[in-house]
Amino acid sequence: MTTQQETRPSAATKPVRWAADAVATLREGARVRLDYSAQSLWRVDRMIDEIRREGAPYAAVESVLRGLGAYAGEVVVRQTGAEWWAGGGDHWVRTPDGKLWDPIDEARRCFAGDGSLRLLCRDATGSGPGPGSV
């Protein structure tokens, strides 16, 4: 990668704000409380699915998806001690095991019907059965 990586706090500034904005917007507008727990991501996945089923155009929900993805990233950061990383305008979460996760893109994948912020968090935190487990 040719772009220099930035670590917290500078790389965290935008995603932390996006997450906080999403939490505040949902609390005030939809009366939905998000508490930065892994369990809250079930609700987030369902909300994204409902938005998709209502047929909202991507352009109309792009910033909401970015905020919900950042929220999921903050859940991972808070549970694992991970850090936000940034480069080239993109933001990722780097867990202590060195893996990079892209929760903002995962939110977009959820909207496309092919992703789950809950499962991303489960995999990133190492809680629950791993991929391929029964």
Side-chain angles (χ1 to χ4, degrees):
M1 190 178 298
T2 59
T3 59
Q4 183 179 359
Q5 297 295 310
E6 303 172 22
T7 59
R8 204 172 190 117
S10 60
T13 302
K14 287 181 180 179
V16 168
R17 186 180 69 236
W18 296 332
D21 288 348
V23 168
T25 299
L26 288 171
R27 182 180 61 241
E28 294 165 13
R31 303 272 186 226
V32 172
R33 288 208 174 296
L34 297 177
D35 61 3
Y36 292 95
S37 68
Q39 294 79 15
S40 69
L41 295 175
W42 284 88
R43 179 178 287 155
V44 173
D45 276 348
R46 284 193 311 265
M47 283 188 296
I48 293 172
D49 189 48
E50 288 172 22
I51 293 168
R52 179 176 49 80
R53 280 186 279 136
E54 289 172 1
Y58 176 77
V61 297
E62 183 177 9
S63 65
V64 171
L65 295 172
R66 181 185 66 200
L68 294 174
Y71 171 79
E74 268 302 291
V75 171
V76 172
V77 166
R78 293 176 185 203
Q79 288 197 359
T80 66
E83 293 183 315
W84 281 101
W85 284 58
D90 293 324
H91 294 81
W92 311 277
V93 170
R94 184 180 182 120
T95 48
D97 61 7
K99 292 181 182 175
L100 287 174
W101 304 87
D102 192 343
I104 295 171
D105 187 57
E106 189 69 12
R108 294 180 192 120
R109 289 171 33 85
C110 289
F111 183 69
D114 187 34
S116 169
L117 293 172
R118 177 185 57 83
L119 294 179
L120 178 137
C121 180
R122 184 198 70 189
D123 293 347
T125 62
S127 60
S133 298
V134 264

